[in-house]
Amino acid sequence: MSDRFNAFLHSKLKPLVGSEGPLLGTNIAIKDNILVKDWPATAGSKILEGFIAPYDATVIRRLKESGATLVGKTNLDEFAMGSSTENSAFGPTKNPWDIKRVPGGSSGGSAAAVAADLCDVALGSDTGGSVRQPAAFCGVTGLKPTYGSVSRYGLIALASSLDVIGPFARDAKTVEKVFSVISGADKNDQTTIDYNYKQIEIDLSKLKVGLPKELWELSIDPEIKAAVRKMVDWLAAGGAKIVDVSLPSVVYALPAYYVILPAECSANLSRYDGIRYQQSVMKEGQKLLERYMDTRALFGSEVKRRILIGTFALSVGHYDAYYQTAINVKDKITADHERVFKEVDILLTPTTPGLPFEFGAKNDPVEMYQSDLLTVAANLAGVPGLSLPCGFSKSDLPIGAQLIGAKCQDNLLLSVAKQYQEETDFHLKKPRGI
Ligand code: GLN
């Protein structure tokens, strides 16, 4: 499949057409870090060019058994590291709302493919915001499920303690349908939890919504704040009780994340040695170490940066100062969420601090990392988060609101999102020309 947004990779794949089940007739695109048997899987990296997946990820097996049609593989930041899809070795994906702008990342191809109507649903993975942030940038709905509710078997690992696969669709109803198929315990992933998705219908007048003040106080584009405030008003008009809450530890979420993630990915990426996975031919007379080095030179600069940082953070003498400190912060963030969900049912924040930005606008890595300010805490706490369209900027760019729930309350977030989408039409608006 080819497209003018570079949302898809591997243009010559033939769709795998489903035959029966609840997802019959649903066209689903798959982020290229999830294995589909006999299809390529590059994770957006030169290092995996030519690699063909030998088996189906558990989510793929479940989609196939549900009759879904798999239409292709979508572009991503290399090994899912990034917030703009500019880090893909195969060129950036363009935002269908404005092709001068990024679609977000790392699941930018998946979000753009849904926004451009190239498929009904796309799977992404979210380690620090990679489903929610591109969903917000592309004006679609995206769920980062509870950690462990969806099997990671067959997902190319980034940071195993944070990674989770989640669906994108235009509306929450479709997201829910796909989530109910892909979720559930899996003997091939020992971190999966006993999880039987149950659809619920929540009475808004019984809902208590918390606005975490530490997140709302961050520097957020005023147009985004105003649009999300309107969603707060909608909840209040439906009878929901709105309260300010405090999660003091979330201000440390981003620095802790950018220690834990590099630490885990430096270990996970050590397997790309030029011997396994990719087709690589040893040059005549080449020493093993040279072969490792030639192979690993294929990583892009963001991946190299994180491997270096992670290796440093885990090294003797630095482990306690960096990695252990970050893990302590993660525990505090988890505890803060557990406490706050005794006071309120859900949290509401903007999904992103800024609007979709232009290509090349964030050259400084730390500036790029700021894109994840509002999303990483949910990954560290292991709780579900959902981004849904809640408005547009004056320049006609989509704005996303983020709902966060207690562990395993994905159904509560989806119920609120469905009711919102029954009464508003932000999710139905399409980019010009689509
Ligand atoms: N943007 C974040 C990062 O670069 C999140 C990545 C993700 O969720 N895969 O790490």
Side-chain angles (χ1 to χ4, degrees), residues 75-98:
N75 199 8
L76 68 155
D77 285 298
E78 185 172 8
F79 285 102
M81 297 181 203
S83 308
S84 65
T85 319
E86 291 169 290
N87 294 340
S88 169
F90 307 106
T93 294
K94 295 170 190 156
N95 191 322
W97 290 90
D98 178 352

Short mmCIF file of all heavy atoms in Angstrom, two decimals, residues 75-98:
data_model
loop_
_atom_site.label_atom_id
_atom_site.label_comp_id
_atom_site.label_asym_id
_atom_site.label_seq_id
_atom_site.Cartn_x
_atom_site.Cartn_y
_atom_site.Cartn_z
N ASN A 75 4.55 3.18 9.71
CA ASN A 75 5.82 3.83 10.02
C ASN A 75 5.89 4.25 11.50
O ASN A 75 4.85 4.51 12.13
CB ASN A 75 5.96 5.06 9.12
CG ASN A 75 7.39 5.54 9.00
OD1 ASN A 75 8.33 4.89 9.46
ND2 ASN A 75 7.56 6.70 8.38
N LEU A 76 7.10 4.35 12.00
CA LEU A 76 7.31 4.71 13.40
C LEU A 76 8.71 5.29 13.58
O LEU A 76 9.58 5.09 12.74
CB LEU A 76 7.16 3.47 14.30
CG LEU A 76 8.22 2.37 14.17
CD1 LEU A 76 8.30 1.57 15.44
CD2 LEU A 76 7.91 1.46 13.00
N ASP A 77 8.90 5.98 14.68
CA ASP A 77 10.26 6.37 15.06
C ASP A 77 11.05 5.10 15.32
O ASP A 77 10.51 4.11 15.86
CB ASP A 77 10.22 7.19 16.36
CG ASP A 77 9.72 8.61 16.14
OD1 ASP A 77 10.38 9.35 15.39
OD2 ASP A 77 8.68 8.97 16.72
N GLU A 78 12.32 5.12 14.98
CA GLU A 78 13.16 3.93 15.12
C GLU A 78 13.03 3.31 16.52
O GLU A 78 13.24 3.99 17.53
CB GLU A 78 14.63 4.28 14.84
CG GLU A 78 15.52 3.07 14.85
CD GLU A 78 16.95 3.37 14.39
OE1 GLU A 78 17.30 4.56 14.20
OE2 GLU A 78 17.71 2.40 14.22
N PHE A 79 12.66 2.05 16.56
CA PHE A 79 12.46 1.31 17.81
C PHE A 79 11.51 2.05 18.77
O PHE A 79 11.64 1.94 19.98
CB PHE A 79 13.78 0.96 18.49
CG PHE A 79 14.49 -0.17 17.80
CD1 PHE A 79 15.57 0.09 16.95
CD2 PHE A 79 14.06 -1.47 17.95
CE1 PHE A 79 16.20 -0.95 16.27
CE2 PHE A 79 14.68 -2.51 17.28
CZ PHE A 79 15.75 -2.25 16.44
N ALA A 80 10.60 2.82 18.19
CA ALA A 80 9.57 3.55 18.96
C ALA A 80 10.16 4.62 19.86
O ALA A 80 9.56 4.99 20.87
CB ALA A 80 8.69 2.58 19.76
N MET A 81 11.33 5.15 19.49
CA MET A 81 11.94 6.22 20.27
C MET A 81 11.73 7.55 19.56
O MET A 81 12.43 7.85 18.59
CB MET A 81 13.44 5.99 20.42
CG MET A 81 13.77 4.72 21.17
SD MET A 81 15.54 4.57 21.33
CE MET A 81 15.68 2.81 21.56
N GLY A 82 10.79 8.32 20.04
CA GLY A 82 10.57 9.63 19.44
C GLY A 82 9.14 10.08 19.60
O GLY A 82 8.27 9.33 20.06
N SER A 83 8.90 11.32 19.23
CA SER A 83 7.57 11.92 19.38
C SER A 83 7.10 12.57 18.09
O SER A 83 6.21 13.42 18.11
CB SER A 83 7.61 12.98 20.49
OG SER A 83 8.17 12.45 21.66
N SER A 84 7.73 12.21 16.96
CA SER A 84 7.38 12.91 15.71
C SER A 84 7.44 12.02 14.48
O SER A 84 7.08 12.46 13.39
CB SER A 84 8.37 14.07 15.51
OG SER A 84 9.68 13.56 15.30
N THR A 85 7.93 10.80 14.62
CA THR A 85 8.15 9.87 13.49
C THR A 85 9.27 10.37 12.57
O THR A 85 9.52 9.78 11.53
CB THR A 85 6.84 9.54 12.73
OG1 THR A 85 5.79 9.36 13.71
CG2 THR A 85 6.90 8.24 11.97
N GLU A 86 9.95 11.45 12.98
CA GLU A 86 11.10 11.92 12.19
C GLU A 86 12.30 10.98 12.35
O GLU A 86 13.24 11.03 11.56
CB GLU A 86 11.51 13.33 12.62
CG GLU A 86 10.49 14.39 12.25
CD GLU A 86 10.81 15.72 12.92
OE1 GLU A 86 10.64 15.81 14.15
OE2 GLU A 86 11.22 16.66 12.24
N ASN A 87 12.29 10.15 13.41
CA ASN A 87 13.42 9.25 13.63
C ASN A 87 13.32 7.94 12.85
O ASN A 87 14.14 7.06 13.04
CB ASN A 87 13.55 8.88 15.12
CG ASN A 87 13.92 10.08 15.98
OD1 ASN A 87 14.43 11.07 15.47
ND2 ASN A 87 13.65 9.99 17.27
N SER A 88 12.32 7.80 11.99
CA SER A 88 12.24 6.58 11.18
C SER A 88 13.38 6.56 10.16
O SER A 88 13.66 7.59 9.53
CB SER A 88 10.90 6.51 10.44
OG SER A 88 10.94 5.48 9.48
N ALA A 89 14.00 5.39 9.99
CA ALA A 89 15.05 5.27 8.97
C ALA A 89 14.45 5.33 7.56
O ALA A 89 15.18 5.42 6.58
CB ALA A 89 15.80 3.97 9.16
N PHE A 90 13.12 5.26 7.46
CA PHE A 90 12.47 5.21 6.15
C PHE A 90 11.70 6.49 5.83
O PHE A 90 10.75 6.49 5.07
CB PHE A 90 11.57 3.96 6.07
CG PHE A 90 12.34 2.72 6.44
CD1 PHE A 90 12.15 2.09 7.66
CD2 PHE A 90 13.34 2.24 5.59
CE1 PHE A 90 12.91 0.97 8.02
CE2 PHE A 90 14.10 1.12 5.94
CZ PHE A 90 13.89 0.49 7.15
N GLY A 91 12.14 7.59 6.45
CA GLY A 91 11.53 8.89 6.16
C GLY A 91 10.36 9.15 7.08
O GLY A 91 9.72 8.21 7.57
N PRO A 92 10.08 10.43 7.33
CA PRO A 92 9.02 10.78 8.27
C PRO A 92 7.63 10.58 7.67
O PRO A 92 7.46 10.60 6.45
CB PRO A 92 9.26 12.26 8.53
CG PRO A 92 9.96 12.75 7.31
CD PRO A 92 10.77 11.60 6.79
N THR A 93 6.66 10.40 8.55
CA THR A 93 5.25 10.40 8.14
C THR A 93 4.75 11.84 8.24
O THR A 93 5.19 12.59 9.11
CB THR A 93 4.44 9.47 9.07
OG1 THR A 93 4.88 8.14 8.85
CG2 THR A 93 2.94 9.56 8.81
N LYS A 94 3.83 12.20 7.34
CA LYS A 94 3.29 13.57 7.37
C LYS A 94 1.92 13.57 8.04
O LYS A 94 1.15 12.62 7.89
CB LYS A 94 3.16 14.09 5.93
CG LYS A 94 4.53 14.22 5.28
CD LYS A 94 4.39 14.49 3.80
CE LYS A 94 5.76 14.36 3.16
NZ LYS A 94 5.66 14.05 1.74
N ASN A 95 1.65 14.66 8.72
CA ASN A 95 0.35 14.79 9.38
C ASN A 95 -0.72 15.12 8.34
O ASN A 95 -0.61 16.14 7.65
CB ASN A 95 0.42 15.90 10.44
CG ASN A 95 -0.79 15.92 11.34
OD1 ASN A 95 -1.91 15.68 10.90
ND2 ASN A 95 -0.57 16.18 12.62
N PRO A 96 -1.76 14.29 8.21
CA PRO A 96 -2.80 14.55 7.19
C PRO A 96 -3.51 15.90 7.35
O PRO A 96 -4.10 16.41 6.40
CB PRO A 96 -3.79 13.40 7.36
CG PRO A 96 -3.00 12.32 8.02
CD PRO A 96 -1.99 13.02 8.91
N TRP A 97 -3.43 16.50 8.55
CA TRP A 97 -4.08 17.80 8.76
C TRP A 97 -3.24 18.94 8.18
O TRP A 97 -3.75 20.02 7.90
CB TRP A 97 -4.30 18.05 10.26
CG TRP A 97 -5.36 17.14 10.79
CD1 TRP A 97 -5.18 15.91 11.33
CD2 TRP A 97 -6.77 17.38 10.80
NE1 TRP A 97 -6.38 15.36 11.67
CE2 TRP A 97 -7.37 16.25 11.37
CE3 TRP A 97 -7.59 18.45 10.39
CZ2 TRP A 97 -8.76 16.14 11.54
CZ3 TRP A 97 -8.95 18.34 10.56
CH2 TRP A 97 -9.53 17.21 11.12
N ASP A 98 -1.94 18.71 8.06
CA ASP A 98 -1.04 19.72 7.51
C ASP A 98 0.28 19.00 7.22
O ASP A 98 1.01 18.65 8.15
CB ASP A 98 -0.82 20.85 8.53
CG ASP A 98 0.16 21.90 8.01
OD1 ASP A 98 0.79 21.68 6.95
OD2 ASP A 98 0.30 22.94 8.69
#
